[in-house]
Amino acid sequence: MADATPPLGTGPLAKREARLAWGLLTPTIAAVALVVILPLLAIFWISVKPVSLADLRAPEVVLREDLRGSPEAAGDEATLRYRLRNSSQEQPILGVRFDDLVPDGLEIVDLDARCSLQDQALSCDLGDWEAGYRETLTIPVIVTQAYLDNAIRPQDSPPRVEGRSSSVLTDGTFTLNNFARIFQADEFLEVLWVTLFYTVFGTIGALLVGLFAALLLNKAFRGQGILRGLYLFPYVAPVIAVAFAWLILFDPFSGSANALLVQMGVTREAINFFGERPLALIMVTVFEIWRYFPLSFLFILARMQSIDGDMYEAADMDGASPFQQFWYLSLPQLLGILSVLFLLRFIWTFNKFDDIFLLTGGNAGTRTLTVSVYEQAFAISNIGAGAAVAVVIFGCLLTFSIFFLKYISREEGL
Amino acid sequence: MSVLRFGYVTGPLLGALWMVVLSVTVAIAMSFATGDPVRPNMSVSLLWGAVVGYLASQRLGGTPGRAIAAGALILLTLFEVGPLDFGPAASIWTRASAAAILAIAFVWSLYTILDDVAKGPLTRHEFEGAVIRFLTGFGYIFFTAIVLIPFYVMVMTSLKNQSELIQNPLDFSVDLSRGTELFRSYNELFTQFNFGTYLFNSFFISVLTVFITLAFAIPGAYAVARLRFRGQTAFSRSILLIYMVPMIVLALPIYIAFSMTGLRNSFWGIVMIYPVTTIPVALYMLQGYFRGLPAEIEEAGLMDGLSRLAVIWKITLPLSLPALASVSLYVFMIAWNEFLLAFMLLDDPSKFTLTRGIASLNSSEIPRQHLMAGSVIATVPIMAIFLGLERFMTKGLTAGSVKG
């Protein structure tokens, strides 16, 4: 009898399973590659290109045709006119040509040297054009009865226009100016500092406030469910709605918060919460804490409710006071979820764009890296510089992710 | 700390602090409710709070004692030597109700806080118990206030008009005699600003996003959770990593690509992009759930001759309906609240989503109550869904919302 040996390598069943797995994953991988991986590569490409917002519209040949000279009877003379121009003021177009169908009943008297006519098909080769080039082509024609009888007019047959132009996005010009610009700008260090402040304090604040809220609700009482739902409101509501509510609440001229503070005697003059330098940064951080404490609250509460109650009874018997129980029993148990939350929230706060963009637009010393991407790309119309900032962000994230994978994969068991 | 652990120290101390908390709360609440000038007087609050705290810690008077203390506080407040100060404009009703609410709430809650505080030396347990009850009370007030005030301001502002708002920013009282005029902003938004269309667009796009996301995420999550193949670990890790890429980094190339291909300002462009932002989240949540399902049931199905796909369709999916509900709700919420992509990719007012529509209201020519009414319109549906299906929603949030 042969020895029973375990099979080596992958058997047919395992192979089939792996094939099915890849089959199930393909749509997701394809979609993610298209919308995540490809744009990421594009960001690196764009960051070394001198691209501005205007370059996104490729130069093209604009053509208009009409018939001049309002002919009324057969035999009248008229002019078929083509007006053409290069839409770009900066870029040339090479090899411009167009084809058009001349309507029945127009007899062409004289043809431009660059054009040729076959039956009724007119085609013209206009060569290379400078930026902003204009040209008007006039072709004298004689109108016959056929033209007057049928209703087809020159503009009814759309001409086919050709022309090559090079786009900055695809040609071979590269530059490091984008990076030089963002690194040399005086505000770059400030942007980094603001990002760090916002991220660190926003994350820690949300964790601490969330921990406090979780401690409050970690006991059964009537209305606990309602309060838990209520405390999630800031996170569930659309960011644009709550951001504008905050703006109106803290408006320097007619905001309720200012009216309240004046009435309470805390301040004499209205405070411009989102418009003054150190205050605006603190306010957007407070907003971040307000909006995301529900998340840490939910996670911490879930973990707390899974801690065994016996331990606390034992501690009670041994005479541990409530604060001691929290410090020596609860906190060590919560440390795992707290560190996971810290890492995840740290990265997400770092990535946050909408909140600051809606509250201050990055003004008054609140410009973080993400807001600066938008600022460079759309406000200053320098897409290349925006992409360069995005590359910097991506670099930071790569560093975080290495940390993240080291810790999270241990905690989450991935 | 040990100096504090005497009934006659702890009592007045907590009493004084608790009085400050409550008088600030009542003053803010009365100001917001009536618009009358009410403000807390800190030093007087500390004084009277300490006095009542001392009485409570010494167990003086029992229930009649409490009533006397409360009555005294009401009188003191009305004669303007109490914890609250009133401006001359404050009506007698405001004064009386503020005084009564503050006095009664304070005395009874303080007796609860100092429940097992003894007259003399306290054990660590008794002392910390009292401090914890104080902090709990403070916590409930604090969290409820910070959560409710912005939403209260949002709703009330939407019901007022510009001149009322400027005149007294604190007056949120609503004049009910105006009847349907109250909802003028909402009416104008729906008749003149196309909010009906935006509402429909948002709803349509969100629902479509949910379905497309599930169609991609269910097979993917199943493969990651159940099937063995090379690169499984690497794949489930990279899901999390993709989660970490900030939207603004992707939005820039997507904007360029959409501008060049003419997908900007199109419904389908948005419907193409939204699911991809939610697929990683959904996949991550679902694979966690699938892992938790017992594999034996599925193996039984396989033994009985079902193919893998049939197992997924007939066994796994019916078992994971609750998880599917959570994921759908969560994805719906993300799509409904999405702002950045809608803002960058949509310029044509006939194709706006709600969030984009609200952003377009943010101009100096459009009155603020319209902006707030728009915010309410966007908030109410998601809140209604959330409150109705809170159980699923909470589960969904805990399972997957590492995302912001």
Side-chain angles (χ1 to χ4, degrees):
Chain A
M1 194 180 144
D3 287 335
T5 48
L8 293 169
T10 42
L13 217 56
K15 269 186 193 150
R16 218 171 68 193
E17 195 170 310
R19 259 207 308 280
L20 177 67
W22 284 112
L24 292 176
L25 283 171
T26 312
T28 306
I29 295 176
V32 167
L34 200 66
V35 182
V36 179
I37 313 287
L38 207 64
L40 275 183
L41 295 179
I43 275 286
F44 281 94
W45 178 259
I46 298 165
S47 71
V48 289
K49 293 277 203 181
V51 191
S52 74
L53 209 51
D55 292 326
L56 294 187
R57 293 184 52 184
E60 55 185 18
V61 179
V62 181
L63 187 153
R64 290 204 176 76
E65 59 176 317
D66 53 5
L67 191 70
R68 307 270 293 172
S70 52
E72 281 156 10
D76 277 1
E77 282 181 19
T79 321
L80 191 57
R81 188 173 68 158
Y82 290 94
R83 282 174 297 168
L84 304 104
R85 67 182 172 87
N86 180 349
S87 70
S88 167
Q89 295 298 321
E90 277 132 31
Q91 301 235 5
I93 304 180
L94 307 176
V96 178
R97 51 171 295 136
F98 74 89
D99 303 293
D100 193 22
L101 217 58
V102 178
D104 283 339
L106 289 183
E107 275 173 20
I108 291 179
V109 181
D110 185 21
L111 203 57
D112 194 288
R114 292 166 294 178
C115 299
S116 63
L117 187 72
Q118 251 185 356
D119 292 338
Q120 292 299 102
L122 175 79
S123 70
C124 298
D125 198 339
L126 302 174
D128 300 347
W129 279 5
E130 295 293 304
Y133 182 82
R134 281 163 188 280
E135 158 122 41
T136 308
L137 220 66
T138 48
I139 301 170
V141 290
I142 289 178
V143 179
T144 65
Q145 194 58 42
Y147 176 79
L148 297 171
D149 288 345
N150 70 29
I152 297 169
R153 295 293 168 262
Q155 49 272 40
D156 291 341
S157 64
R160 208 162 53 80
V161 187
E162 278 173 31
R164 289 188 316 276
S165 62
S166 71
S167 160
V168 195
L169 274 174
T170 47
D171 68 7
T173 41
F174 293 99
T175 172
L176 284 174
N177 275 345
N178 296 327
F179 286 98
R181 252 182 79 167
I182 61 163
F183 284 127
Q184 278 163 6
D186 298 332
E187 45 156 48
F188 186 69
L189 275 181
E190 198 203 323
V191 169
L192 276 188
W193 150 247
V194 167
T195 312
L196 202 68
F197 179 94
Y198 178 70
T199 312
V200 169
F201 287 97
T203 311
I204 294 179
L207 271 187
L208 290 182
V209 177
L211 180 64
F212 186 29
L215 284 170
L216 281 183
L217 288 187
N218 187 27
K219 50 185 130 184
F221 59 91
R222 246 185 338 155
Q224 193 233 22
I226 296 174
L227 276 186
R228 193 178 59 180
L230 184 73
Y231 291 177
L232 290 176
F233 270 24
Y235 178 67
V236 177
V239 58
I240 187 163
V242 287
F244 282 139
W246 271 58
L247 279 183
I248 281 181
L249 181 61
F250 289 102
D251 190 278
F253 304 110
S254 55
S256 317
N258 267 312
L260 202 63
L261 287 179
V262 169
Q263 184 184 303
M264 300 274 168
V266 179
T267 164
R268 270 173 198 290
E269 281 166 31
I271 302 169
N272 192 355
F273 282 99
F274 286 105
E276 277 168 26
R277 223 139 222 286
L279 197 59
L281 181 57
I282 295 172
M283 282 306 288
V284 292
T285 312
V286 169
F287 180 82
E288 165 77 17
I289 295 173
W290 178 80
R291 196 162 134 69
Y292 291 101
F293 88 84
L295 217 72
S296 14
F297 149 70
L298 211 57
F299 276 81
I300 297 170
L301 186 63
R303 182 73 189 83
M304 272 180 178
Q305 285 173 343
S306 68
I307 300 178
D308 198 0
D310 295 351
M311 210 166 60
Y312 293 100
E313 283 172 25
D316 244 350
M317 296 300 288
D318 290 343
S321 74
F323 281 126
Q324 283 174 323
Q325 286 177 20
F326 171 71
W327 191 254
Y328 293 107
L329 294 183
S330 306
L331 215 51
Q333 300 260 342
L334 294 177
L335 225 50
I337 187 75
L338 284 177
S339 55
V340 171
L341 269 178
F342 177 80
L343 275 171
L344 286 171
R345 290 307 317 160
F346 188 87
I347 293 177
W348 270 104
T349 315
F350 183 85
N351 289 348
K352 208 70 223 160
F353 168 78
D354 315 25
D355 304 27
I356 294 187
F357 177 70
L358 286 170
L359 287 173
T360 65
N363 296 319
T366 58
R367 185 167 308 154
T368 58
L369 277 170
T370 45
V371 177
S372 143
V373 173
Y374 185 89
E375 190 78 19
Q376 296 282 354
F378 294 98
I380 313 180
S381 303
N382 189 343
I383 293 218
V389 182
V391 168
V392 173
I393 293 181
F394 191 71
C396 297
L397 279 174
L398 225 53
T399 326
F400 297 150
S401 328
I402 294 169
F403 265 107
F404 173 75
L405 274 187
K406 252 187 172 161
Y407 286 92
I408 289 291
S409 43
R410 216 184 302 151
E411 294 285 347
E412 297 267 283
L414 275 176
Chain B
M1 285 298 267
S2 56
V3 194
L4 296 177
R5 291 219 300 267
F6 291 96
Y8 46 81
V9 181
T10 310
L13 197 67
L14 290 184
L17 292 176
W18 187 235
M19 179 60 106
V20 170
V21 171
L22 280 194
S23 59
V24 171
T25 310
V26 171
I28 293 176
M30 286 314 278
S31 302
F32 273 153
T34 63
D36 282 344
V38 184
R39 67 193 192 95
N41 189 328
M42 291 297 171
S43 45
V44 179
S45 294
L46 286 170
L47 174 70
W48 293 125
V51 170
V52 181
Y54 179 76
L55 297 178
S57 67
Q58 300 305 308
R59 300 266 163 282
L60 292 174
T63 312
R66 295 186 199 189
I68 293 169
L73 275 177
I74 294 178
L75 286 179
L76 286 168
T77 311
L78 287 180
F79 286 109
E80 312 232 332
V81 282
L84 292 177
D85 285 348
F86 299 97
S91 71
I92 184 68
W93 288 112
T94 308
R95 291 165 194 251
S97 47
I101 293 171
L102 175 65
I104 294 169
F106 174 74
V107 171
W108 261 265
S109 56
L110 188 65
Y111 271 78
T112 315
I113 289 175
L114 300 175
D115 198 19
D116 44 284
V117 170
K119 293 182 183 179
L122 301 176
T123 67
R124 208 170 157 165
H125 261 271
E126 290 164 342
F127 172 70
E128 287 181 7
V131 172
I132 285 175
R133 280 192 296 275
F134 168 80
L135 287 177
T136 311
F138 170 73
Y140 287 138
I141 293 176
F142 174 74
F143 281 109
T144 311
I146 60 165
V147 169
L148 279 187
I149 286 176
F151 291 99
Y152 179 77
V153 168
M154 191 199 286
V155 174
M156 288 306 172
T157 307
S158 72
L159 299 177
K160 310 210 71 140
N161 63 42
Q162 196 79 18
S163 59
E164 289 174 325
L165 285 172
I166 302 280
Q167 211 172 36
N168 183 0
L170 270 181
D171 187 3
F172 286 107
S173 56
V174 169
D175 186 5
L176 286 177
S177 62
R178 277 169 59 215
T180 50
E181 261 299 279
L182 278 178
F183 299 99
R184 213 177 123 194
S185 299
Y186 294 88
N187 191 15
E188 278 176 18
L189 283 185
F190 278 108
T191 50
Q192 294 165 24
F193 290 88
N194 268 332
F195 260 61
T197 320
Y198 303 165
L199 200 62
F200 174 77
N201 285 352
S202 261
F203 185 76
F204 183 68
I205 288 176
S206 304
V207 169
L208 222 56
T209 304
V210 169
F211 281 113
I212 298 175
T213 305
L214 286 183
F216 278 85
I218 290 174
Y222 187 84
V224 173
R226 272 282 186 272
L227 303 177
R228 269 162 312 199
F229 59 98
R230 273 226 305 228
Q232 191 181 19
T233 338
F235 191 83
S236 49
R237 280 186 181 183
S238 48
I239 299 170
L240 266 179
L241 282 188
I242 281 169
Y243 227 11
M244 303 284 118
V245 181
M247 208 54 232
I248 180 78
V249 170
L250 301 181
L252 194 57
I254 289 173
Y255 175 86
I256 295 172
F258 273 34
S259 306
M260 294 181 118
T261 52
L263 277 169
R264 263 182 74 202
N265 274 324
S266 81
F267 232 68
W268 300 114
I270 289 282
V271 172
M272 267 169 54
I273 286 297
Y274 274 14
V276 183
T277 64
T278 52
I279 286 173
V281 199
L283 214 157
Y284 178 70
M285 288 163 79
L286 280 176
Q287 59 109 14
Y289 190 84
F290 287 158
R291 266 176 225 266
L293 288 178
E296 289 79 7
I297 309 177
E298 289 174 18
E299 281 160 12
L302 284 175
M303 294 304 285
D304 286 345
L306 287 178
S307 70
R308 268 288 178 186
L309 294 178
V311 165
I312 298 179
W313 183 248
K314 288 190 174 151
I315 299 178
T316 315
L317 284 189
L319 280 177
S320 39
L321 275 182
L324 292 181
S326 304
V327 174
S328 308
L329 272 176
Y330 187 59
V331 169
F332 184 87
M333 185 190 99
I334 295 181
W336 182 271
N337 291 351
E338 209 291 326
F339 163 72
L340 171 60
L341 288 172
F343 181 71
M344 287 177 86
L345 300 178
L346 298 176
D347 293 326
D348 175 359
S350 69
K351 296 189 175 105
F352 279 179
T353 60
L354 258 184
T355 48
R356 181 67 183 87
I358 297 170
S360 72
L361 292 180
N362 184 24
S363 90
S364 51
E365 288 136 40
I366 297 172
R368 291 197 316 184
Q369 64 270 28
H370 282 42
L371 184 61
M372 285 296 95
S375 301
V376 172
I377 294 172
T379 311
V380 164
I382 196 79
M383 287 299 183
I385 294 176
F386 169 69
L387 286 180
L389 301 167
E390 199 248 338
R391 192 180 302 270
F392 289 121
M393 193 78 170
T394 316
K395 204 174 277 166
L397 287 173
T398 6
S401 59
V402 282
K403 186 185 169 103

